[in-house]
Amino acid sequence: MRAAEILARDGPNVLSPPKETPEIIKFLKQMIGGFSSLLWAGAVLCFIAYLIEFSKDKSASLDNLYLGGVLIVVVILTGMFAYYQEAKSTNIIASFTKMIPRNALVIRNGEKYEIPAEHLVLGDIVEIKGGDQIPADIRILTSQGCKVDNSSLTGESEPQFRSCEVTHENPLESKNIGFYSTTCLEGTATGMVINTGDRTVIGRIASLASSVGHEKTPIAIEIEHFVHIVAGVAVSIGIVFFIIAICMKYRVLDAVIFLIGIILANVPEGLVAAVTVSLSLTAKRMAKKNCLVKNLEAVETLGSTSIICSDKTGTLTQNRMTVAHLWFDNEIYQADTSENQKDQIFDQSSATWTSLSKIVMLCNRAEFKSGQESVPIMKKIVMGDASEAALLKFSEVVMGDVIERRKKNRKVVEIPFNSVNKFQLSIHETDDPNDKRFLLVMKGAPERILEKCSTIMINGQEQPLDESSVKAFQDAYMELGGLGERVLGFCHLYLPEDEFPDNYSFDVESMNFPTSDLCFVGLISLIDPPRSTVPDAVIKCRSAGIKVIMVTGDHPITAKAIARSVGIISANSETVEDIAKRLKIPVEKVNKREAKAAVVSGMELKEMSPEQLDELLANHTEIVFARTSPQQKLVIVEGCQRQNAIVAVTGDGVNDSPALKKADIGIAMGCAGSDAAKIAADMVLLDDNFSSIVTGIEEGRLIFDNLKKIIAFTLTKNIAELIPFLIFIIAGVPLPIGTIAILFIDLGTDIIPSIALAYEKAESDIMNRKPRHKKKDRLVNHQLALYSYLQIGILQSVGGFFAYFTVYTVQGFKPDLLLYLRPLWENDSLNDLEDSYGQEWTKYQRQYLEWTGYTAYFVAVMVQQIADVIIRKTRINSVFQQGLFRNKYIWVGIASQIIIAVILSSGFGSIPVLNFTTLRIQYWFVAVPYAIVIWLYDEFRKLLVRHYPGSWWDKTMYY
Amino acid sequence: MAALQEKKTCSQRMEEFRHYCWNPDTGQLLGRTLSKWVWISLYYVAFYVVMSGLFALAIYTLMCTIDPYTPDYQDQLKSPGVTLRPDVYGERGLEIFYNVSDKTSWKDLTQTLHTFLSGYTPAAQEENINCSFEQYFIQKEFRAPNHTKFSCKFTADMLQNCSGLTDPNFGFEEGKPCFIIKMNRIVNFLPSNNNTAPRVDCTFLEENHKDFTPLEVDYYPSNGTFSLHYFPYYGKKAQPHYSNPLVAAKFLNIPKNKEVIIVCKIIAENVSFDNPHDPYEGKVEFKLKIQK
């Protein structure tokens, strides 16, 4: 009862999600953002034009009213479409962040209940056991060997004991507090809930993180930039021609109508839809490749990444300890560290190995969880700490059924590992029925083990431990330690049968058995090995000009070793320390410029001023940050951003969330990541694998290229839509294309081809060029704009005008007559206008001819847009290198262009307001030569760009 | 995702813009050096020259392929339009309003007719031949001077009482005005397939004027026909002096001080007057109001 009251008072025990923008605001943003405002202006102008006309004449034509209405419908439809797309992709992630409901075991009124964790309230007593996630901040009341993993909170990866004593004033340091969302690794405990929901430590950090504001994404900036360019062009041309029209003594009303036409021609109405669709297509494609993108724009940001700050554990490495090396018989053997460890090639014939393997197998408390018989060894879940699990799996692979052998060598007594002894010991019966001796096996820190030994086993023979063997041990230990591996020593002793008979009772408290003068057998070193796909991915990054920085909490030596093995520090580069060692000079005397690589520890980083950090980041290409705290990640990210880099950061812990937010693109780990990290991130890696980031980068670059292609395709025909108005105003010809026909190009024939360009495969150089410079390499650069507007666009207009003149000429109006014919042509009271043949036309007959002209111009633009979509498939490669038929969607797009045009010009378009007429077959082919010219010209352009890189042509014509 | 947008002050932006317009360090003007500007302009000039050439070539070829005498297609000009003189357009089409007693109100109307008929004086029609055969004037060859075809004379006097010769006021003064009806020219157009000449028929628009007596009209030339020898028209190049035949209609019983709607249709086999979109195809409709 009381619980319900508190629940009502405090609210459920969940983290409140970050504040969402209300849906209606999102929707309205789509309605007024970007080009929509221009279209609104167009619609308003339409209504004004209608009102002016209406005030003069009650029976004014409704055309302007219709057009205004159509514009508003267009704005609302495209806005709704963009909103729908965004909502859909938001849902992908929303469904993901929603976690499986967690239950908590709570004691209320002396009875145990299992209730959903969000119903926990202050003062509840909960029970936790190994494997559970702690359901709220709790104060431990009782504990049996309870260990928790606080890494998501504090970054410490070592499991920590929890007991009921207060060990520190700071609750974060105190041993008697268990934190919400951390995991209990082993043992059991009961605790009292002291904080729930947002008031938990995690909750406070999470709300702190969400207050670091999200800012504009690069693609959003690029699109804004592009909208500015287009809007600038539209408005300035519109105003210039408005003034020209007024000067040419056109009526104000006409000038306003021209203005509408110019705005309409300039605004690529369908582009927003095409861009959103292609972004969400890519997002879907990336999800398939294990990158889950939270907001669409992040896809592109990933492509412009120039620095990746990657975690080590789990991202670059497999996140499990694995036996890497063995040392026995004075020799170092390498073990297979690949994901399945199939090929163990070291020498297993030595008698020393037989002894060593026995110790490894017996002196180990780890066990496989039951019920996993069919699971491959490497995937079996192990109860026990990471090192022991590694040794268990290793012996299972090499020797077969460990559990069975352990049963044969019954354990008599054991001393578990603790930090004071630094060793682990157990005494076993032997499996040899004739041998009644007990076997004492021990493993631990190598130096501690060696202290306890007086002999060493070489080739199965015990030999006294002389100076040379100690030296050999020291060398091996140093070498393995230098590889960043965790080294363990192993020794054993057969207890003499006469002193320790069958029934001897061993006592761990009094230690009534020898723990010195043992026989040293060997060393085994463990490491968390790199994922096998990572080295290739790092090479790919390097060729793509992306710097990979490792940021880890591990020891510098381990970090450096892993960095070397995955190629973050390449084989031939040295750190300052390496150079000092090689030249045998003090570190201070080394010229820092000579060292390509650097390993910086968290302590050093703490001492650095921002300027020093900048210098470090600028001068070294290969950097490893070791022993860093998650907070320092933020410092590193900021440092990278000062270098004008676009920074991708991986993270899994709660403490990573500020860095994830600060980074241009935050990447959370899907498996190991905490909820807070996933909330703060822009992208979630489902398989935690570094190489997925690289795949993501490739996709991101591809979408940037494809967006360029889409925009170039869309912008081109804007000129072909605009020029008619300009010629109409200046040369006074009958209007070549109407506003409705323009809308049908923008929102009809061009939509599917432009989306199809999003499916275009990458051109060959995609991962061999430098990352995009966010200030210099714009989505829409002047090359793209000039080439589209002033070359292909003009060519298209010429083709369109040719079609237009053809239609008028064959019907009787030759081009010379058309010039400055407008005042007569549009005169409603002139019903006998003479053409070039002396025939006389009524107003409606001329009007109908004008519509035929619109249709012909429309078809001509459509035909040339087919050529345009083909040339836009590539920017540098020949279309034939790219494969004309590799992207099937392009052909779907071309088919859609033709079908829509056929439908419109074969009767369906002759509905009153649409003003399309039926077109003779031959008019369809008038623009074909121009389409071919466009194709040839662009192939020629690409040929020169490919053959003369860096030339004037390349700089001017490559967009 | 984070900060890429630094807030710039207005003066910074202005400074950047100035720097863009003229960069003293690199000598760049609007982002390009002068020589670069020259190069790119030259390229564009060359590009546009080639393109204009292509366009000119295309238009030239187009012009070569078309027939100078007959348009390739006449599908959009199937039935001729009809026009009225005098033509005063109000808000909704032709509106001829005048006051019999106020000369200034119809002076302009008669003036329009005089101007229009000035193309039909014997002098203006000198180049044309006299015809009276009332048959289609089919000419396969170019027999007329300068490789042209003959056109038949149509002179104003054929309009008799409405010619403006006998009555320079075209009957406007006495409330029985003349209107001249013209059929639009279409190359090679034959009004009918047999030998019936097209005829003008003017009536009050029925639905509005049921209670009226039918409109009494005097047509000139008699019967209100366009003689067949004016057809077919062979186009401007073949018949440079061709003038459209006319029909004048003199309305005898227009009620005074009342707005009436009159429709004049052309009755001929190949002339349609029921196109819902085009009010001037095969017919002409106008409002007439004579005040006293």
Side-chain angles (χ1 to χ4, degrees):
Chain A
M1 286 333 284
R2 176 92 179 103
E5 278 169 34
I6 301 176
L7 188 65
R9 187 192 70 197
D10 291 348
N13 174 33
V14 282
L15 297 185
S16 56
K19 258 180 211 153
E20 298 258 340
T21 336
E23 295 298 306
I24 185 77
I25 302 273
K26 280 190 197 165
F27 183 67
L28 287 179
K29 258 190 183 163
Q30 299 286 4
M31 290 286 165
I32 51 164
F35 291 121
S36 303
S37 44
L38 270 183
L39 290 180
W40 281 116
V44 169
L45 284 178
C46 280
F47 291 134
I48 292 175
Y50 175 74
L51 284 181
I52 294 176
E53 242 174 85
F54 184 76
S55 64
K56 283 187 190 153
D57 174 2
K58 296 281 175 287
S59 62
S61 109
L62 293 171
D63 282 1
N64 284 321
L65 202 60
Y66 287 144
L67 187 59
V70 168
L71 286 183
I72 289 178
V73 169
V74 165
V75 175
I76 291 178
L77 281 185
T78 51
M80 268 162 46
F81 183 76
Y83 170 76
Y84 167 73
Q85 280 291 339
E86 201 178 282
K88 211 169 71 175
S89 53
T90 324
N91 281 344
I92 302 176
I93 192 76
S95 63
F96 182 79
T97 39
K98 216 170 264 170
M99 287 281 137
I100 322 129
R102 281 188 297 260
N103 288 330
L105 200 62
V106 59
I107 302 172
R108 284 180 182 168
N109 306 329
E111 279 178 63
K112 283 189 191 177
Y113 299 96
E114 181 134 324
I115 61 164
E118 54 260 41
H119 290 170
L120 280 182
V121 296
L122 222 60
D124 267 336
I125 307 293
V126 291
E127 273 189 13
I128 51 170
K129 57 179 190 304
D132 283 355
Q133 199 158 36
I134 297 179
D137 281 1
I138 56 169
R139 197 175 73 220
I140 307 289
L141 301 176
T142 63
S143 158
Q144 286 90 35
C146 173
K147 273 187 184 175
V148 292
D149 175 11
N150 271 357
S151 58
S152 68
L153 188 64
T154 58
E156 290 162 275
S157 55
E158 289 291 314
Q160 294 180 333
F161 273 107
R162 292 285 103 158
S163 61
C164 47
E165 293 115 43
V166 181
T167 53
H168 202 284
E169 279 179 19
N170 182 348
L172 268 176
E173 302 281 331
S174 179
K175 286 254 183 270
N176 70 330
I177 306 283
F179 298 105
Y180 179 40
S181 93
T182 59
T183 340
C184 175
L185 294 174
E186 52 186 87
T188 58
T190 51
M192 183 198 270
V193 174
I194 54 172
N195 275 320
T196 57
D198 287 334
R199 290 168 300 278
T200 58
V201 173
I202 286 274
R204 268 176 273 164
I205 293 176
S207 56
L208 200 74
S210 59
S211 63
V212 177
H214 260 229
E215 279 161 75
K216 276 181 185 153
T217 59
I219 193 75
I221 293 173
E222 285 305 323
I223 287 181
E224 202 171 78
H225 171 79
F226 155 73
V227 170
H228 284 165
I229 290 180
V230 173
V233 170
V235 170
S236 46
I237 294 182
I239 288 174
V240 166
F241 278 85
F242 186 78
I243 294 168
I244 289 178
I246 298 283
C247 294
M248 287 175 78
K249 306 258 167 8
Y250 282 101
R251 289 183 303 156
V252 177
L253 179 68
D254 286 338
V256 169
I257 291 170
F258 301 158
L259 188 61
I260 297 168
I262 287 171
I263 290 178
L264 261 189
N266 262 308
V267 173
E269 287 86 1
L271 189 72
V272 178
V275 167
T276 350
V277 169
S278 42
L279 281 172
S280 65
L281 278 179
T282 311
K284 258 190 211 156
R285 202 152 56 196
M286 285 174 78
K288 257 189 216 158
K289 293 180 178 172
N290 290 322
C291 302
L292 207 64
V293 181
K294 245 162 91 175
N295 55 32
L296 290 181
E297 287 88 357
V299 178
E300 194 283 322
T301 318
L302 195 58
S304 44
T305 302
S306 52
I307 296 183
I308 305 174
C309 293
S310 175
D311 278 337
K312 181 182 86 62
T313 313
T315 311
L316 296 169
T317 66
Q318 300 170 15
N319 196 20
R320 53 190 176 82
M321 290 310 264
T322 305
V323 172
H325 291 97
L326 305 101
W327 179 77
F328 55 85
D329 294 346
N330 277 337
E331 206 159 329
I332 292 177
Y333 297 95
Q334 195 164 1
D336 179 15
T337 55
S338 68
E339 269 84 349
N340 56 23
Q341 300 188 9
K342 278 257 164 60
D343 316 301
Q344 300 291 1
I345 41 148
F346 62 90
D347 178 19
Q348 296 179 14
S349 60
S350 164
T352 318
W353 163 245
T354 318
S355 304
L356 182 59
S357 61
K358 214 166 200 176
I359 308 171
V360 169
M361 193 167 61
L362 296 177
C363 188
N364 191 332
R365 285 159 48 98
E367 277 171 36
F368 290 113
K369 232 178 190 171
S370 55
Q372 301 189 87
E373 284 71 25
S374 57
V375 183
I377 297 169
M378 282 305 138
K379 299 228 170 100
K380 285 185 181 171
I381 298 166
V382 178
M383 320 270 282
D385 82 11
S387 308
E388 295 225 300
L391 291 169
L392 172 64
K393 285 183 176 171
F394 177 70
S395 32
E396 182 86 7
V397 167
V398 180
M399 286 165 298
D401 199 342
V402 172
I403 306 300
E404 189 56 38
R405 281 162 181 255
R406 279 195 198 157
K407 273 185 196 155
K408 284 184 187 159
N409 298 277
R410 197 179 62 83
K411 190 190 284 177
V412 184
V413 73
E414 74 172 342
I415 303 174
F417 184 87
N418 69 49
S419 46
V420 184
N421 289 342
K422 294 211 167 155
F423 66 78
Q424 177 182 353
L425 175 152
S426 56
I427 298 172
H428 299 259
E429 292 170 356
T430 62
D431 51 354
D432 183 353
N434 302 326
D435 192 349
K436 292 288 178 204
R437 291 178 298 173
F438 285 102
L439 176 62
L440 182 151
V441 289
M442 187 195 247
K443 75 161 188 251
E447 65 277 7
R448 296 301 286 275
I449 297 294
L450 194 73
E451 279 171 17
K452 297 185 188 302
C453 293
S454 57
T455 57
I456 183 164
M457 184 178 274
I458 304 287
N459 297 328
Q461 304 299 317
E462 277 190 40
Q463 291 176 4
L465 196 62
D466 52 21
E467 243 171 62
S468 68
S469 23
V470 171
K471 173 90 174 54
F473 162 86
Q474 290 293 358
D475 289 347
Y477 183 26
M478 288 299 289
E479 188 175 343
L480 295 177
L483 293 173
E485 295 171 5
R486 183 189 291 173
V487 190
L488 294 171
F490 294 83
C491 63
H492 72 183
L493 182 71
Y494 282 96
L495 302 178
E497 201 181 351
D498 46 349
E499 277 181 58
F500 302 95
D502 269 3
N503 52 0
Y504 187 83
S505 107
F506 293 98
D507 181 11
V508 290
E509 296 298 324
S510 59
M511 301 265 254
N512 56 353
F513 45 83
T515 55
S516 58
D517 292 335
L518 310 177
C519 173
F520 191 84
V521 181
L523 295 172
I524 289 182
S525 66
L526 304 161
I527 197 162
D528 179 11
R531 288 169 180 268
S532 48
T533 49
V534 169
D536 282 343
V538 172
I539 290 170
K540 231 176 182 177
C541 281
R542 192 149 293 154
S543 70
I546 302 162
K547 201 160 158 180
V548 183
I549 293 178
M550 184 199 271
V551 182
T552 174
D554 274 359
H555 196 271
I557 294 174
T558 318
K560 191 173 160 192
I562 292 291
R564 270 209 194 280
S565 64
V566 297
I568 288 181
I569 295 180
S570 47
N572 50 5
S573 57
E574 296 174 307
T575 62
V576 175
E577 292 78 14
D578 289 336
I579 295 175
K581 207 165 147 195
R582 176 164 56 86
L583 301 176
K584 299 202 169 64
I585 50 171
V587 173
E588 297 78 43
K589 287 195 179 163
V590 177
N591 179 5
K592 282 190 180 157
R593 301 283 155 121
E594 276 176 32
K596 262 172 79 186
V599 179
V600 182
S601 76
M603 291 305 286
E604 290 169 307
L605 184 61
K606 215 174 188 178
E607 313 274 288
M608 277 185 189
S609 65
E611 291 74 32
Q612 281 170 313
L613 179 62
D614 288 352
E615 202 192 313
L616 174 84
L617 289 169
N619 291 335
H620 299 277
T621 51
E622 300 168 350
I623 306 173
V624 171
F625 290 98
R627 281 256 184 255
T628 48
S629 64
Q631 286 84 348
Q632 284 180 317
K633 224 182 213 175
L634 187 62
V635 177
I636 297 167
V637 169
E638 284 168 341
C640 294
Q641 281 176 336
R642 280 197 298 275
Q643 315 285 313
N644 262 333
I646 295 198
V647 188
V649 169
T650 69
D652 41 23
V654 173
N655 272 4
D656 288 335
S657 20
L660 288 174
K661 282 248 166 185
K662 180 71 198 162
D664 298 294
I665 178 145
I667 304 168
M669 296 300 141
C671 309
S674 61
D675 282 7
K678 282 176 197 165
I679 289 168
D682 303 294
M683 205 177 91
V684 179
L685 275 192
L686 293 181
D687 61 354
D688 292 12
N689 192 341
F690 179 79
S691 35
S692 301
I693 303 178
V694 181
T695 327
I697 289 177
E698 213 169 326
E699 286 290 338
R701 290 189 172 193
L702 180 60
I703 190 71
F704 191 76
D705 280 7
N706 285 352
L707 280 182
K708 257 189 182 176
K709 292 171 185 173
I710 291 173
I711 290 174
F713 170 75
T714 320
L715 284 188
T716 307
K717 53 113 194 325
N718 278 359
I719 284 297
E721 294 166 353
L722 176 69
I723 298 282
F725 277 92
L726 307 190
I727 301 284
F728 168 71
I729 295 171
I730 292 179
V733 297
L735 188 61
I737 188 166
T739 39
I740 298 286
I742 287 177
L743 286 177
F744 267 102
I745 296 176
D746 288 359
L747 295 169
T749 58
D750 269 4
I751 285 278
I752 300 176
S754 58
I755 292 172
L757 281 172
Y759 285 98
E760 201 53 48
K761 299 274 181 307
E763 285 180 67
S764 48
D765 65 334
I766 196 158
M767 284 307 267
N768 292 323
R769 51 174 199 243
K770 295 266 155 288
R772 173 172 95 77
H773 189 289
K774 64 185 171 191
K775 293 233 175 79
K776 284 188 196 140
D777 305 331
R778 312 306 304 250
L779 182 64
V780 177
N781 48 24
H782 66 265
Q783 287 94 335
L784 186 149
L786 287 182
Y787 185 67
S788 302
Y789 272 152
L790 293 186
Q791 297 188 26
I792 303 299
I794 298 281
L795 249 171
Q796 282 193 346
S797 322
V798 169
F801 267 95
F802 183 53
Y804 159 84
F805 280 130
T806 307
V807 165
Y808 278 79
T809 306
V810 296
Q811 293 285 352
F813 288 91
K814 292 182 184 171
D816 53 336
L817 180 72
L818 288 176
L819 294 180
Y820 302 105
L821 187 63
R822 200 187 91 94
L824 297 176
W825 181 272
E826 293 196 337
N827 187 348
D828 281 330
S829 40
L830 185 64
N831 281 302
D832 48 1
L833 180 72
E834 218 177 291
D835 68 13
S836 309
Y837 290 90
Q839 307 185 99
E840 290 166 320
W841 297 67
T842 66
K843 169 73 176 142
Y844 178 79
Q845 286 164 341
R846 297 195 303 265
Q847 183 77 64
Y848 192 79
L849 178 58
E850 190 176 316
W851 293 339
T852 310
Y854 292 178
T855 314
Y857 196 97
F858 166 82
V859 167
V861 170
M862 185 279 293
V863 166
Q864 293 175 92
Q865 280 294 85
I866 293 177
D868 198 26
V869 73
I870 290 173
I871 67 169
R872 301 303 184 180
K873 279 165 70 73
T874 57
R875 297 183 303 137
I876 184 161
N877 287 353
S878 161
V879 168
F880 299 101
Q881 287 174 325
Q882 182 83 348
L884 203 49
F885 298 99
R886 229 172 64 173
N887 181 357
K888 303 256 174 343
Y889 295 98
I890 291 284
W891 294 96
V892 174
I894 291 175
S896 81
Q897 282 182 292
I898 296 172
I899 290 169
I900 292 175
V902 167
I903 290 175
L904 284 176
S905 66
S906 65
F908 282 97
S910 49
I911 305 164
V913 199
L914 301 187
N915 302 343
F916 284 88
T917 65
T918 313
L919 217 53
R920 281 171 194 282
I921 296 291
Q922 55 264 50
Y923 295 152
W924 285 72
F925 298 95
V926 173
V928 168
Y930 289 89
I932 294 170
V933 167
I934 288 175
W935 192 348
L936 292 180
Y937 178 63
D938 195 63
E939 280 296 319
F940 172 70
R941 174 189 75 86
K942 290 169 190 162
L943 186 78
L944 289 192
V945 170
R946 284 199 303 277
H947 283 256
Y948 302 101
S951 63
W952 174 85
W953 185 272
D954 182 21
K955 281 179 198 148
T956 322
M957 301 296 240
Y958 180 53
Y959 54 87
Chain B
M1 214 58 119
L4 282 177
Q5 188 95 334
E6 304 104 46
K7 289 267 173 257
K8 287 181 196 160
T9 64
C10 189
S11 66
Q12 261 174 322
R13 278 173 192 276
M14 284 308 292
E15 180 54 41
E16 263 174 33
F17 183 70
R18 242 198 333 264
H19 204 255
Y20 172 73
C21 287
W22 171 245
N23 183 343
D25 306 330
T26 53
Q28 282 175 328
L29 190 73
L30 296 173
R32 282 198 173 83
T33 59
L34 198 61
S35 69
K36 287 245 175 76
W37 272 114
V38 171
W39 275 112
I40 200 161
S41 321
L42 278 179
Y43 182 79
Y44 273 94
V45 166
F47 183 79
Y48 289 141
V49 165
V50 170
M51 207 149 46
S52 319
L54 271 178
F55 185 64
L57 187 72
I59 294 286
Y60 176 77
T61 325
L62 173 67
M63 287 318 200
C64 290
T65 58
I66 57 166
D67 183 336
Y69 295 100
T70 326
D72 291 17
Y73 299 117
Q74 291 179 294
D75 56 327
Q76 309 207 342
L77 213 55
K78 283 188 185 122
S79 178
V82 176
T83 53
L84 183 78
R85 297 292 187 290
D87 47 351
V88 177
Y89 284 82
E91 280 181 3
R92 297 183 173 204
L94 289 159
E95 287 173 355
I96 288 112
F97 299 158
Y98 76 96
N99 192 335
V100 175
S101 47
D102 180 7
K103 194 175 180 185
T104 53
S105 71
W106 49 265
K107 192 81 192 107
D108 286 348
L109 300 175
T110 54
Q111 189 53 47
T112 312
L113 287 175
H114 280 296
T115 319
F116 179 69
L117 287 177
S118 65
Y120 290 89
T121 58
Q125 297 282 314
E126 199 171 355
E127 309 277 342
N128 295 347
I129 57 165
N130 282 312
C131 310
S132 54
F133 37 84
E134 302 291 328
Q135 293 285 318
Y136 286 129
F137 188 17
I138 309 285
Q139 307 171 68
K140 289 250 160 23
E141 275 129 48
F142 297 85
R143 294 261 169 85
N146 301 327
H147 195 73
T148 55
K149 293 182 182 179
F150 294 108
S151 313
C152 288
K153 261 189 183 123
F154 190 98
T155 46
D157 57 76
M158 295 179 188
L159 301 178
Q160 298 154 12
N161 283 343
C162 286
S163 64
L165 302 172
T166 47
D167 174 13
N169 295 333
F170 295 95
F172 277 79
E173 204 173 19
E174 62 260 35
K176 295 174 179 173
C178 285
F179 285 87
I180 296 180
I181 287 140
K182 177 175 76 90
M183 193 161 84
N184 281 352
R185 291 190 295 252
I186 295 177
V187 172
N188 291 339
F189 175 74
L190 299 178
S192 62
N193 300 335
N194 49 32
N195 274 331
T196 7
R199 180 172 65 82
V200 173
D201 177 40
C202 295
T203 49
F204 287 125
L205 197 62
E206 286 168 31
E207 42 204 330
N208 298 346
H209 300 278
K210 268 179 189 153
D211 47 337
F212 279 107
T213 47
L215 183 66
E216 289 172 34
V217 194
D218 277 351
Y219 297 105
Y220 311 95
S222 52
N223 303 329
T225 53
F226 299 101
S227 292
L228 282 180
H229 52 242
Y230 296 103
F231 300 98
Y233 173 53
Y234 284 111
K236 209 173 177 174
K237 196 172 162 79
Q239 289 179 307
H241 306 292
Y242 180 90
S243 2
N244 301 32
L246 306 172
V247 167
K250 193 172 173 71
F251 302 121
L252 304 175
N253 61 342
I254 303 295
K256 300 292 176 296
N257 296 329
K258 188 163 181 89
E259 186 180 300
V260 291
I261 301 177
I262 296 170
V263 57
C264 292
K265 292 175 181 165
I266 304 241
I267 313 292
E269 197 180 348
N270 292 339
V271 178
S272 67
F273 47 75
D274 46 9
N275 183 341
H277 301 294
D278 191 352
Y280 298 99
E281 187 182 302
K283 64 172 193 286
V284 58
E285 226 178 81
F286 60 98
K287 282 182 197 155
L288 181 60
K289 187 176 180 187
I290 303 177
Q291 281 171 313
K292 208 164 186 180

